[in-house]
Short mmCIF file of all heavy atoms in Angstrom, two decimals:
data_model
loop_
_atom_site.label_atom_id
_atom_site.label_comp_id
_atom_site.label_asym_id
_atom_site.label_seq_id
_atom_site.Cartn_x
_atom_site.Cartn_y
_atom_site.Cartn_z
N ALA V 112 -89.08 -106.69 37.33
CA ALA V 112 -89.79 -107.69 38.13
C ALA V 112 -88.94 -108.19 39.29
O ALA V 112 -89.46 -108.60 40.32
CB ALA V 112 -90.19 -108.86 37.23
N LYS V 113 -87.62 -108.09 39.13
CA LYS V 113 -86.73 -108.59 40.19
C LYS V 113 -86.35 -107.49 41.17
O LYS V 113 -85.54 -107.71 42.08
CB LYS V 113 -85.47 -109.17 39.57
CG LYS V 113 -85.74 -110.42 38.74
CD LYS V 113 -84.44 -110.91 38.12
CE LYS V 113 -84.71 -111.87 36.97
NZ LYS V 113 -83.73 -111.75 35.91
N PHE V 114 -86.88 -106.30 40.96
CA PHE V 114 -86.49 -105.17 41.79
C PHE V 114 -87.09 -105.20 43.20
O PHE V 114 -86.88 -104.28 43.98
CB PHE V 114 -86.86 -103.85 41.10
CG PHE V 114 -85.76 -103.32 40.22
CD1 PHE V 114 -84.75 -104.15 39.77
CD2 PHE V 114 -85.74 -101.98 39.84
CE1 PHE V 114 -83.74 -103.68 38.96
CE2 PHE V 114 -84.73 -101.49 39.04
CZ PHE V 114 -83.74 -102.34 38.58
N ASN V 115 -87.83 -106.22 43.52
CA ASN V 115 -88.29 -106.32 44.91
C ASN V 115 -87.14 -106.71 45.83
O ASN V 115 -87.27 -106.69 47.04
CB ASN V 115 -89.45 -107.32 45.02
CG ASN V 115 -89.12 -108.64 44.34
OD1 ASN V 115 -87.97 -108.86 43.95
ND2 ASN V 115 -90.11 -109.48 44.20
N ASP V 116 -86.01 -107.03 45.21
CA ASP V 116 -84.81 -107.28 46.01
C ASP V 116 -83.88 -106.08 45.87
O ASP V 116 -83.44 -105.74 44.78
CB ASP V 116 -84.11 -108.55 45.50
CG ASP V 116 -82.72 -108.69 46.11
OD1 ASP V 116 -82.57 -108.32 47.30
OD2 ASP V 116 -81.81 -109.14 45.40
N PRO V 117 -83.57 -105.43 47.00
CA PRO V 117 -82.77 -104.20 46.91
C PRO V 117 -81.40 -104.41 46.27
O PRO V 117 -80.94 -103.54 45.52
CB PRO V 117 -82.63 -103.75 48.37
CG PRO V 117 -83.19 -104.83 49.22
CD PRO V 117 -84.03 -105.72 48.36
N LEU V 118 -80.77 -105.53 46.51
CA LEU V 118 -79.44 -105.75 45.94
C LEU V 118 -79.48 -105.89 44.42
O LEU V 118 -78.53 -105.53 43.73
CB LEU V 118 -78.78 -106.97 46.58
CG LEU V 118 -78.27 -106.71 48.00
CD1 LEU V 118 -77.74 -107.99 48.63
CD2 LEU V 118 -77.19 -105.63 48.02
N THR V 119 -80.61 -106.37 43.91
CA THR V 119 -80.75 -106.46 42.46
C THR V 119 -80.79 -105.06 41.85
O THR V 119 -80.22 -104.80 40.79
CB THR V 119 -82.05 -107.21 42.10
OG1 THR V 119 -82.06 -108.44 42.78
CG2 THR V 119 -82.13 -107.43 40.60
N ILE V 120 -81.42 -104.16 42.55
CA ILE V 120 -81.50 -102.78 42.04
C ILE V 120 -80.10 -102.18 41.92
O ILE V 120 -79.72 -101.67 40.87
CB ILE V 120 -82.36 -101.90 42.99
CG1 ILE V 120 -83.78 -102.47 43.09
CG2 ILE V 120 -82.39 -100.46 42.47
CD1 ILE V 120 -84.67 -101.68 44.03
N VAL V 121 -79.34 -102.28 43.00
CA VAL V 121 -78.03 -101.64 42.96
C VAL V 121 -77.08 -102.37 42.00
O VAL V 121 -76.26 -101.74 41.35
CB VAL V 121 -77.39 -101.52 44.36
CG1 VAL V 121 -78.17 -100.51 45.18
CG2 VAL V 121 -77.32 -102.84 45.07
N LYS V 122 -77.27 -103.65 41.88
CA LYS V 122 -76.44 -104.39 40.92
C LYS V 122 -76.76 -103.93 39.50
O LYS V 122 -75.87 -103.62 38.70
CB LYS V 122 -76.71 -105.90 41.07
CG LYS V 122 -75.94 -106.78 40.09
CD LYS V 122 -74.48 -106.90 40.50
CE LYS V 122 -73.72 -107.94 39.68
NZ LYS V 122 -73.27 -107.47 38.39
N HIS V 123 -78.04 -103.85 39.23
CA HIS V 123 -78.45 -103.42 37.89
C HIS V 123 -77.89 -102.05 37.54
O HIS V 123 -77.29 -101.85 36.48
CB HIS V 123 -79.98 -103.38 37.80
CG HIS V 123 -80.49 -102.78 36.51
ND1 HIS V 123 -80.61 -103.51 35.36
CD2 HIS V 123 -80.86 -101.51 36.19
CE1 HIS V 123 -81.04 -102.72 34.38
NE2 HIS V 123 -81.20 -101.50 34.86
N PHE V 124 -78.06 -101.11 38.47
CA PHE V 124 -77.64 -99.76 38.14
C PHE V 124 -76.12 -99.56 38.23
O PHE V 124 -75.58 -98.72 37.53
CB PHE V 124 -78.38 -98.73 38.99
CG PHE V 124 -79.80 -98.54 38.53
CD1 PHE V 124 -80.87 -98.94 39.32
CD2 PHE V 124 -80.06 -97.98 37.30
CE1 PHE V 124 -82.17 -98.78 38.88
CE2 PHE V 124 -81.37 -97.82 36.84
CZ PHE V 124 -82.43 -98.21 37.65
N SER V 125 -75.46 -100.34 39.07
CA SER V 125 -74.01 -100.14 39.06
C SER V 125 -73.40 -100.69 37.77
O SER V 125 -72.47 -100.10 37.23
CB SER V 125 -73.34 -100.72 40.31
OG SER V 125 -73.85 -101.97 40.64
N ASP V 126 -73.98 -101.76 37.25
CA ASP V 126 -73.52 -102.23 35.94
C ASP V 126 -73.81 -101.17 34.86
O ASP V 126 -73.00 -100.90 33.99
CB ASP V 126 -74.20 -103.55 35.57
CG ASP V 126 -73.65 -104.70 36.40
OD1 ASP V 126 -72.60 -104.51 37.04
OD2 ASP V 126 -74.29 -105.77 36.43
N GLU V 127 -74.98 -100.59 34.97
CA GLU V 127 -75.33 -99.56 34.00
C GLU V 127 -74.39 -98.37 34.12
O GLU V 127 -73.94 -97.81 33.13
CB GLU V 127 -76.78 -99.12 34.22
CG GLU V 127 -77.19 -98.02 33.26
CD GLU V 127 -78.69 -97.79 33.24
OE1 GLU V 127 -79.45 -98.78 33.12
OE2 GLU V 127 -79.12 -96.62 33.36
#
Side-chain angles (χ1 to χ4, degrees):
Chain V
K113 294 178 197 145
F114 270 19
N115 50 10
D116 168 37
L118 285 175
T119 307
I120 300 179
V121 291
K122 178 76 171 82
H123 173 83
F124 285 112
S125 43
D126 287 346
E127 178 167 312

